[in-house]
Amino acid sequence: MRKLLLTTTAIAFAVGAAAPAMAEFNSRNIRVSNGINQDHPVGNGIKAMQACLDDKSGGKLKLTAFWGGALGGDLQATQALRSGVQEAVVTSSSPLVGLIPSLGVFDLPFLFANSKEADAVMDGAFGDMMNKKLEEQGLVNLAYWENGFRNLSNSKHAVNKWEDFSGLKVRVMQNNIFLDTFQNLGANATPMAFGEVFSALETNAIDAQENPYVTIDTSKFYEVQKYITETNHAYTPFLFLFSKPIFDSYTPEEQAALRECAVVGRDEERKVIRELNQKSLEKIKAAGLEVNTLSAEEQARIREKSMVVYEKHKAEIGADVVDAVLADLKKIRGQ
Ligand code: TF8
């Protein structure tokens, strides 16, 4: 038995050593679609990821990015991945809750206090647990990138307290948790795909939307809005999703390179987006928008009022999932 094992190992080793290093990489054109524009830090992330892939695959693995929803919105592109007709998408988790209800955990208002907490949760065991649920739906999440903390913009009036949300027509993502969060604050919330937001704001079909500063900047929402409030009401991650049927057809070396390089891209994207956040805010101010921050008391009031959303959606997200993230956060906060 022992002899047999040794022989097998020797043969395996000889075959492995004889093959030229790059033979495990085939020429692949990987289409990555995005709803945001190329000057968003996701563009920097994809560049860094490509440099890493060039290195590992000798130029065989090529990413081709499509911007501004050119291959369809987040949800549409994700469906194309599941059916194996498109390779990859960088999408918010929020529009995918119809497919994977437990992803709604990331939409709970005021879940993360800062990006350090978000990184620790996403890059740790909790992130892995969510990745398994994505895999069951035909989606391989290569890494969690950053979309960021979301803030409210509108064209009507300054929002300084929760009563000011009253009657504002706010576009929310196609997601019940966001819908409830804003309705609960008195707003008139309307779910809408990202690609329709600019023109809906421009034609005053809606008054308001909520996204991180960097998106309000790079998608030019500031051109059609007058007021911003730093609400930081939710942190939504980006998922770098790969089609599982396509991923499964790749060699183990190709798969490993994609996973490793998506993490290299993630680190670059997070670095750039965090630097840009303040600059985007300055740009928005310079464009003439009135920027408001909430007082500590008001922030606490809004937060408190929003906690009903946790209870309301706990069963549908999965009590185990909500409890797991809260336990993780407790640990991270040293409580
Ligand atoms: C939203 C999201 C989007 C992103 C983007 C399309 O508001 O935050 O901005 O998913 O990639 O719909």
Side-chain angles (χ1 to χ4, degrees), residues 90-145:
V90 178
T91 176
S92 287
S93 55
S94 316
L96 311 186
V97 292
L99 265 177
I100 302 150
S102 52
L103 279 181
V105 69
F106 296 128
D107 302 313
L108 291 170
F110 305 102
L111 181 68
F112 299 120
N114 52 53
S115 42
K116 233 177 141 184
E117 288 185 1
D119 290 358
V121 168
M122 313 278 169
D123 303 344
F126 187 82
D128 290 343
M129 176 175 129
M130 299 310 289
N131 288 344
K132 290 213 181 73
K133 297 183 190 289
L134 283 154
E135 285 223 30
E136 285 161 15
Q137 294 301 324
L139 301 162
V140 177
N141 183 27
L142 297 181
Y144 292 89
W145 290 24

Short mmCIF file of all heavy atoms in Angstrom, two decimals, residues 90-145:
data_model
loop_
_atom_site.label_atom_id
_atom_site.label_comp_id
_atom_site.label_asym_id
_atom_site.label_seq_id
_atom_site.Cartn_x
_atom_site.Cartn_y
_atom_site.Cartn_z
N VAL A 90 -20.12 43.57 -10.95
CA VAL A 90 -19.93 44.20 -9.64
C VAL A 90 -21.26 44.84 -9.31
O VAL A 90 -21.70 45.77 -9.99
CB VAL A 90 -18.81 45.25 -9.66
CG1 VAL A 90 -18.67 45.91 -8.29
CG2 VAL A 90 -17.48 44.62 -10.09
N THR A 91 -21.93 44.30 -8.30
CA THR A 91 -23.30 44.75 -7.98
C THR A 91 -23.46 45.01 -6.49
O THR A 91 -22.78 44.41 -5.67
CB THR A 91 -24.33 43.67 -8.42
OG1 THR A 91 -25.65 44.09 -8.02
CG2 THR A 91 -24.05 42.31 -7.80
N SER A 92 -24.40 45.88 -6.16
CA SER A 92 -24.82 45.99 -4.76
C SER A 92 -25.53 44.70 -4.38
O SER A 92 -26.15 44.06 -5.22
CB SER A 92 -25.82 47.14 -4.61
OG SER A 92 -25.19 48.36 -4.71
N SER A 93 -25.46 44.37 -3.11
CA SER A 93 -26.18 43.18 -2.65
C SER A 93 -27.69 43.46 -2.62
O SER A 93 -28.50 42.55 -2.81
CB SER A 93 -25.71 42.80 -1.25
OG SER A 93 -25.83 43.90 -0.37
N SER A 94 -28.05 44.71 -2.42
CA SER A 94 -29.46 45.06 -2.15
C SER A 94 -30.48 44.66 -3.21
O SER A 94 -31.56 44.20 -2.86
CB SER A 94 -29.57 46.57 -1.87
OG SER A 94 -28.54 46.98 -1.01
N PRO A 95 -30.18 44.84 -4.51
CA PRO A 95 -31.21 44.44 -5.47
C PRO A 95 -31.37 42.92 -5.59
O PRO A 95 -32.26 42.47 -6.28
CB PRO A 95 -30.71 45.02 -6.81
CG PRO A 95 -29.62 45.97 -6.46
CD PRO A 95 -29.04 45.49 -5.18
N LEU A 96 -30.52 42.14 -4.91
CA LEU A 96 -30.55 40.69 -5.07
C LEU A 96 -31.34 39.97 -3.97
O LEU A 96 -31.37 38.75 -3.93
CB LEU A 96 -29.12 40.12 -5.11
CG LEU A 96 -28.13 40.81 -6.05
CD1 LEU A 96 -26.82 40.05 -6.10
CD2 LEU A 96 -28.69 40.95 -7.45
N VAL A 97 -31.95 40.73 -3.06
CA VAL A 97 -32.65 40.08 -1.94
C VAL A 97 -33.85 39.25 -2.39
O VAL A 97 -34.25 38.32 -1.69
CB VAL A 97 -33.09 41.06 -0.83
CG1 VAL A 97 -31.91 41.64 -0.10
CG2 VAL A 97 -33.97 42.15 -1.40
N GLY A 98 -34.41 39.58 -3.55
CA GLY A 98 -35.50 38.76 -4.08
C GLY A 98 -35.02 37.33 -4.36
O GLY A 98 -35.75 36.37 -4.19
N LEU A 99 -33.78 37.22 -4.76
CA LEU A 99 -33.15 35.93 -5.06
C LEU A 99 -32.65 35.24 -3.80
O LEU A 99 -32.79 34.04 -3.64
CB LEU A 99 -31.88 36.19 -5.89
CG LEU A 99 -31.91 36.12 -7.39
CD1 LEU A 99 -30.55 36.48 -7.94
CD2 LEU A 99 -32.30 34.70 -7.78
N ILE A 100 -31.99 36.04 -2.96
CA ILE A 100 -31.35 35.51 -1.75
C ILE A 100 -31.76 36.40 -0.57
O ILE A 100 -31.10 37.38 -0.26
CB ILE A 100 -29.82 35.49 -1.92
CG1 ILE A 100 -29.46 34.65 -3.15
CG2 ILE A 100 -29.09 34.97 -0.69
CD1 ILE A 100 -28.21 35.07 -3.85
N PRO A 101 -32.89 36.05 0.06
CA PRO A 101 -33.44 36.93 1.10
C PRO A 101 -32.45 37.25 2.23
O PRO A 101 -32.49 38.35 2.79
CB PRO A 101 -34.64 36.15 1.64
CG PRO A 101 -35.02 35.24 0.51
CD PRO A 101 -33.76 34.89 -0.20
N SER A 102 -31.56 36.31 2.54
CA SER A 102 -30.65 36.56 3.67
C SER A 102 -29.68 37.71 3.40
O SER A 102 -29.15 38.31 4.34
CB SER A 102 -29.89 35.29 4.03
OG SER A 102 -29.29 34.76 2.89
N LEU A 103 -29.46 38.06 2.12
CA LEU A 103 -28.59 39.20 1.82
C LEU A 103 -29.15 40.51 2.39
O LEU A 103 -28.43 41.49 2.54
CB LEU A 103 -28.44 39.38 0.30
CG LEU A 103 -27.44 38.51 -0.45
CD1 LEU A 103 -27.46 38.89 -1.92
CD2 LEU A 103 -26.03 38.65 0.11
N GLY A 104 -30.45 40.49 2.71
CA GLY A 104 -31.10 41.67 3.29
C GLY A 104 -30.44 42.12 4.58
O GLY A 104 -30.62 43.25 5.02
N VAL A 105 -29.67 41.23 5.19
CA VAL A 105 -28.98 41.59 6.43
C VAL A 105 -28.13 42.85 6.24
O VAL A 105 -28.04 43.70 7.13
CB VAL A 105 -28.12 40.39 6.94
CG1 VAL A 105 -26.92 40.12 6.04
CG2 VAL A 105 -27.69 40.60 8.38
N PHE A 106 -27.54 43.01 5.05
CA PHE A 106 -26.68 44.17 4.81
C PHE A 106 -27.47 45.46 4.61
O PHE A 106 -26.90 46.54 4.55
CB PHE A 106 -25.79 43.92 3.57
CG PHE A 106 -24.82 42.79 3.75
CD1 PHE A 106 -24.74 41.76 2.82
CD2 PHE A 106 -23.96 42.75 4.84
CE1 PHE A 106 -23.84 40.71 2.97
CE2 PHE A 106 -23.06 41.70 5.01
CZ PHE A 106 -23.00 40.68 4.07
N ASP A 107 -28.79 45.34 4.48
CA ASP A 107 -29.61 46.53 4.26
C ASP A 107 -30.19 47.07 5.56
O ASP A 107 -30.83 48.12 5.56
CB ASP A 107 -30.77 46.18 3.31
CG ASP A 107 -30.23 45.65 1.98
OD1 ASP A 107 -29.32 46.29 1.43
OD2 ASP A 107 -30.72 44.60 1.50
N LEU A 108 -30.01 46.35 6.65
CA LEU A 108 -30.57 46.81 7.92
C LEU A 108 -29.99 48.18 8.26
O LEU A 108 -28.77 48.38 8.20
CB LEU A 108 -30.25 45.80 9.04
CG LEU A 108 -30.99 44.47 8.90
CD1 LEU A 108 -30.45 43.43 9.88
CD2 LEU A 108 -32.50 44.66 9.10
N PRO A 109 -30.87 49.13 8.60
CA PRO A 109 -30.39 50.50 8.84
C PRO A 109 -29.42 50.57 10.02
O PRO A 109 -29.64 49.92 11.04
CB PRO A 109 -31.67 51.29 9.12
CG PRO A 109 -32.72 50.28 9.43
CD PRO A 109 -32.34 49.02 8.73
N PHE A 110 -28.36 51.33 9.85
CA PHE A 110 -27.38 51.61 10.90
C PHE A 110 -26.72 50.36 11.46
O PHE A 110 -26.35 50.31 12.63
CB PHE A 110 -28.04 52.41 12.04
CG PHE A 110 -28.69 53.68 11.56
CD1 PHE A 110 -30.07 53.77 11.40
CD2 PHE A 110 -27.92 54.79 11.25
CE1 PHE A 110 -30.67 54.93 10.94
CE2 PHE A 110 -28.52 55.96 10.79
CZ PHE A 110 -29.90 56.02 10.64
N LEU A 111 -26.56 49.33 10.62
CA LEU A 111 -25.94 48.08 11.10
C LEU A 111 -24.47 48.31 11.44
O LEU A 111 -24.01 47.92 12.52
CB LEU A 111 -26.07 46.99 10.03
CG LEU A 111 -25.50 45.63 10.39
CD1 LEU A 111 -26.33 44.98 11.50
CD2 LEU A 111 -25.47 44.69 9.17
N PHE A 112 -23.72 48.91 10.51
CA PHE A 112 -22.29 49.13 10.74
C PHE A 112 -22.04 50.58 11.15
O PHE A 112 -22.64 51.50 10.60
CB PHE A 112 -21.49 48.84 9.46
CG PHE A 112 -21.62 47.41 8.99
CD1 PHE A 112 -22.15 47.12 7.74
CD2 PHE A 112 -21.21 46.36 9.79
CE1 PHE A 112 -22.26 45.81 7.29
CE2 PHE A 112 -21.33 45.04 9.35
CZ PHE A 112 -21.86 44.77 8.10
N ALA A 113 -21.14 50.76 12.11
CA ALA A 113 -20.83 52.11 12.56
C ALA A 113 -19.72 52.73 11.72
O ALA A 113 -19.62 53.96 11.61
CB ALA A 113 -20.42 52.09 14.03
N ASN A 114 -18.87 51.91 11.13
CA ASN A 114 -17.76 52.45 10.32
C ASN A 114 -17.25 51.35 9.39
O ASN A 114 -17.64 50.18 9.52
CB ASN A 114 -16.62 52.96 11.24
CG ASN A 114 -16.21 51.89 12.24
OD1 ASN A 114 -15.90 50.76 11.87
ND2 ASN A 114 -16.25 52.23 13.53
N SER A 115 -16.37 51.73 8.47
CA SER A 115 -15.95 50.77 7.45
C SER A 115 -15.06 49.67 8.02
O SER A 115 -14.99 48.57 7.46
CB SER A 115 -15.27 51.48 6.28
OG SER A 115 -14.40 52.47 6.73
N LYS A 116 -14.41 49.95 9.14
CA LYS A 116 -13.61 48.92 9.79
C LYS A 116 -14.48 47.73 10.21
O LYS A 116 -14.12 46.57 10.00
CB LYS A 116 -12.94 49.51 11.04
CG LYS A 116 -11.44 49.33 11.09
CD LYS A 116 -10.89 50.00 12.31
CE LYS A 116 -9.79 49.16 12.90
NZ LYS A 116 -9.30 49.76 14.15
N GLU A 117 -15.62 48.06 10.80
CA GLU A 117 -16.57 47.01 11.19
C GLU A 117 -17.07 46.24 9.96
O GLU A 117 -17.16 45.02 9.98
CB GLU A 117 -17.78 47.62 11.90
CG GLU A 117 -17.48 48.13 13.28
CD GLU A 117 -18.74 48.63 14.00
OE1 GLU A 117 -19.86 48.56 13.45
OE2 GLU A 117 -18.58 49.09 15.15
N ALA A 118 -17.40 47.00 8.92
CA ALA A 118 -17.91 46.37 7.70
C ALA A 118 -16.87 45.42 7.12
O ALA A 118 -17.18 44.27 6.80
CB ALA A 118 -18.30 47.44 6.68
N ASP A 119 -15.62 45.87 7.04
CA ASP A 119 -14.54 45.01 6.50
C ASP A 119 -14.41 43.73 7.32
O ASP A 119 -14.28 42.63 6.77
CB ASP A 119 -13.19 45.73 6.54
CG ASP A 119 -13.11 46.87 5.53
OD1 ASP A 119 -14.08 47.07 4.78
OD2 ASP A 119 -12.07 47.57 5.51
N ALA A 120 -14.41 43.88 8.64
CA ALA A 120 -14.20 42.72 9.51
C ALA A 120 -15.32 41.68 9.31
O ALA A 120 -15.06 40.48 9.26
CB ALA A 120 -14.14 43.16 10.97
N VAL A 121 -16.55 42.17 9.16
CA VAL A 121 -17.68 41.25 8.98
C VAL A 121 -17.63 40.59 7.60
O VAL A 121 -17.74 39.37 7.47
CB VAL A 121 -19.03 41.99 9.18
CG1 VAL A 121 -20.20 41.15 8.71
CG2 VAL A 121 -19.20 42.35 10.66
N MET A 122 -17.42 41.39 6.56
CA MET A 122 -17.44 40.85 5.19
C MET A 122 -16.27 39.89 4.94
O MET A 122 -16.42 38.87 4.29
CB MET A 122 -17.28 41.94 4.13
CG MET A 122 -18.13 43.14 4.31
SD MET A 122 -19.78 42.91 3.69
CE MET A 122 -20.49 44.38 4.41
N ASP A 123 -15.09 40.28 5.42
CA ASP A 123 -13.89 39.50 5.10
C ASP A 123 -13.71 38.31 6.04
O ASP A 123 -12.77 37.53 5.89
CB ASP A 123 -12.63 40.39 5.14
CG ASP A 123 -12.75 41.57 4.18
OD1 ASP A 123 -13.62 41.53 3.30
OD2 ASP A 123 -11.97 42.54 4.33
N GLY A 124 -14.61 38.17 7.00
CA GLY A 124 -14.48 37.08 7.98
C GLY A 124 -15.48 35.96 7.73
O GLY A 124 -15.99 35.79 6.62
N ALA A 125 -15.74 35.21 8.79
CA ALA A 125 -16.59 34.01 8.68
C ALA A 125 -18.01 34.35 8.22
O ALA A 125 -18.63 33.59 7.48
CB ALA A 125 -16.64 33.31 10.04
N PHE A 126 -18.50 35.52 8.63
CA PHE A 126 -19.87 35.89 8.23
C PHE A 126 -19.95 36.08 6.71
O PHE A 126 -20.89 35.59 6.07
CB PHE A 126 -20.34 37.16 8.95
CG PHE A 126 -21.79 37.46 8.68
CD1 PHE A 126 -22.79 36.81 9.39
CD2 PHE A 126 -22.15 38.35 7.68
CE1 PHE A 126 -24.13 37.05 9.12
CE2 PHE A 126 -23.50 38.59 7.40
CZ PHE A 126 -24.48 37.95 8.12
N GLY A 127 -18.95 36.75 6.15
CA GLY A 127 -18.91 36.92 4.70
C GLY A 127 -18.88 35.58 3.98
O GLY A 127 -19.56 35.39 2.97
N ASP A 128 -18.12 34.63 4.52
CA ASP A 128 -18.05 33.28 3.93
C ASP A 128 -19.40 32.59 3.95
O ASP A 128 -19.79 31.90 3.01
CB ASP A 128 -17.04 32.40 4.69
CG ASP A 128 -15.60 32.85 4.46
OD1 ASP A 128 -15.36 33.60 3.48
OD2 ASP A 128 -14.72 32.46 5.25
N MET A 129 -20.09 32.78 5.06
CA MET A 129 -21.41 32.16 5.20
C MET A 129 -22.37 32.69 4.13
O MET A 129 -23.12 31.93 3.51
CB MET A 129 -21.92 32.47 6.61
CG MET A 129 -23.31 31.99 6.92
SD MET A 129 -23.66 32.35 8.68
CE MET A 129 -25.21 33.18 8.54
N MET A 130 -22.31 34.00 3.88
CA MET A 130 -23.18 34.57 2.85
C MET A 130 -22.74 34.10 1.46
O MET A 130 -23.56 33.89 0.58
CB MET A 130 -23.16 36.11 2.93
CG MET A 130 -23.66 36.67 4.24
SD MET A 130 -25.25 36.01 4.78
CE MET A 130 -26.31 36.79 3.60
N ASN A 131 -21.44 33.91 1.28
CA ASN A 131 -20.94 33.42 -0.01
C ASN A 131 -21.49 32.03 -0.34
O ASN A 131 -21.76 31.73 -1.50
CB ASN A 131 -19.40 33.38 -0.02
CG ASN A 131 -18.81 34.78 -0.07
OD1 ASN A 131 -19.51 35.74 -0.39
ND2 ASN A 131 -17.53 34.90 0.24
N LYS A 132 -21.66 31.21 0.68
CA LYS A 132 -22.23 29.87 0.45
C LYS A 132 -23.66 29.98 -0.07
O LYS A 132 -24.07 29.25 -0.96
CB LYS A 132 -22.21 29.05 1.75
CG LYS A 132 -20.81 28.68 2.15
CD LYS A 132 -20.72 27.34 2.87
CE LYS A 132 -19.28 27.06 3.24
NZ LYS A 132 -18.83 27.94 4.40
N LYS A 133 -24.40 30.94 0.50
CA LYS A 133 -25.80 31.12 0.06
C LYS A 133 -25.83 31.62 -1.38
O LYS A 133 -26.71 31.25 -2.15
CB LYS A 133 -26.52 32.09 1.00
CG LYS A 133 -26.62 31.54 2.42
CD LYS A 133 -27.39 32.46 3.33
CE LYS A 133 -27.29 32.07 4.79
NZ LYS A 133 -28.03 30.85 5.14
N LEU A 134 -24.87 32.45 -1.74
CA LEU A 134 -24.79 32.93 -3.13
C LEU A 134 -24.47 31.78 -4.08
O LEU A 134 -25.07 31.66 -5.15
CB LEU A 134 -23.72 34.04 -3.24
CG LEU A 134 -24.15 35.41 -2.70
CD1 LEU A 134 -22.96 36.24 -2.24
CD2 LEU A 134 -24.93 36.18 -3.76
N GLU A 135 -23.57 30.91 -3.65
CA GLU A 135 -23.18 29.76 -4.49
C GLU A 135 -24.37 28.86 -4.79
O GLU A 135 -24.50 28.35 -5.90
CB GLU A 135 -22.08 28.94 -3.81
CG GLU A 135 -20.74 29.64 -3.90
CD GLU A 135 -19.59 28.69 -4.25
OE1 GLU A 135 -19.82 27.68 -4.96
OE2 GLU A 135 -18.49 28.99 -3.82
N GLU A 136 -25.22 28.69 -3.78
CA GLU A 136 -26.42 27.86 -3.98
C GLU A 136 -27.32 28.43 -5.07
O GLU A 136 -28.15 27.73 -5.63
CB GLU A 136 -27.21 27.74 -2.66
CG GLU A 136 -26.55 26.82 -1.66
CD GLU A 136 -27.04 27.05 -0.23
OE1 GLU A 136 -28.09 27.71 -0.04
OE2 GLU A 136 -26.36 26.57 0.71
N GLN A 137 -27.16 29.72 -5.33
CA GLN A 137 -27.97 30.36 -6.38
C GLN A 137 -27.18 30.58 -7.67
O GLN A 137 -27.54 31.41 -8.51
CB GLN A 137 -28.53 31.70 -5.88
CG GLN A 137 -29.53 31.56 -4.74
CD GLN A 137 -30.73 30.71 -5.12
OE1 GLN A 137 -31.21 30.76 -6.25
NE2 GLN A 137 -31.22 29.91 -4.18
N GLY A 138 -26.06 29.87 -7.81
CA GLY A 138 -25.30 29.95 -9.07
C GLY A 138 -24.38 31.14 -9.17
O GLY A 138 -24.02 31.55 -10.28
N LEU A 139 -23.98 31.70 -8.01
CA LEU A 139 -23.14 32.90 -8.02
C LEU A 139 -21.92 32.72 -7.13
O LEU A 139 -22.06 32.39 -5.95
CB LEU A 139 -23.98 34.09 -7.52
CG LEU A 139 -25.24 34.39 -8.35
CD1 LEU A 139 -26.22 35.25 -7.56
CD2 LEU A 139 -24.87 35.06 -9.68
N VAL A 140 -20.74 32.93 -7.69
CA VAL A 140 -19.51 32.85 -6.89
C VAL A 140 -19.09 34.27 -6.55
O VAL A 140 -18.79 35.07 -7.44
CB VAL A 140 -18.38 32.14 -7.68
CG1 VAL A 140 -17.09 32.13 -6.86
CG2 VAL A 140 -18.80 30.73 -8.05
N ASN A 141 -19.11 34.62 -5.26
CA ASN A 141 -18.65 35.95 -4.87
C ASN A 141 -17.14 35.91 -4.65
O ASN A 141 -16.65 35.32 -3.69
CB ASN A 141 -19.37 36.40 -3.59
CG ASN A 141 -18.97 37.81 -3.19
OD1 ASN A 141 -18.59 38.62 -4.06
ND2 ASN A 141 -19.04 38.12 -1.91
N LEU A 142 -16.40 36.55 -5.54
CA LEU A 142 -14.93 36.50 -5.44
C LEU A 142 -14.43 37.36 -4.28
O LEU A 142 -13.39 37.04 -3.69
CB LEU A 142 -14.29 36.99 -6.75
CG LEU A 142 -14.58 36.15 -8.01
CD1 LEU A 142 -13.85 36.75 -9.20
CD2 LEU A 142 -14.16 34.69 -7.82
N ALA A 143 -15.11 38.46 -4.00
CA ALA A 143 -14.71 39.32 -2.87
C ALA A 143 -15.77 40.39 -2.64
O ALA A 143 -16.58 40.67 -3.53
CB ALA A 143 -13.37 40.00 -3.17
N TYR A 144 -15.74 40.96 -1.44
CA TYR A 144 -16.61 42.09 -1.11
C TYR A 144 -15.85 43.38 -1.38
O TYR A 144 -14.82 43.63 -0.75
CB TYR A 144 -17.02 42.04 0.37
CG TYR A 144 -17.93 40.89 0.72
CD1 TYR A 144 -17.40 39.65 1.11
CD2 TYR A 144 -19.31 41.02 0.65
CE1 TYR A 144 -18.24 38.59 1.42
CE2 TYR A 144 -20.16 39.95 0.98
CZ TYR A 144 -19.62 38.74 1.36
OH TYR A 144 -20.44 37.69 1.67
N TRP A 145 -16.34 44.16 -2.31
CA TRP A 145 -15.76 45.49 -2.56
C TRP A 145 -16.64 46.49 -1.83
O TRP A 145 -17.62 46.13 -1.17
CB TRP A 145 -15.69 45.75 -4.07
CG TRP A 145 -14.65 44.91 -4.80
CD1 TRP A 145 -14.14 43.71 -4.41
CD2 TRP A 145 -14.02 45.21 -6.05
NE1 TRP A 145 -13.24 43.25 -5.34
CE2 TRP A 145 -13.14 44.15 -6.36
CE3 TRP A 145 -14.10 46.27 -6.97
CZ2 TRP A 145 -12.35 44.12 -7.52
CZ3 TRP A 145 -13.32 46.24 -8.12
CH2 TRP A 145 -12.45 45.19 -8.39
#
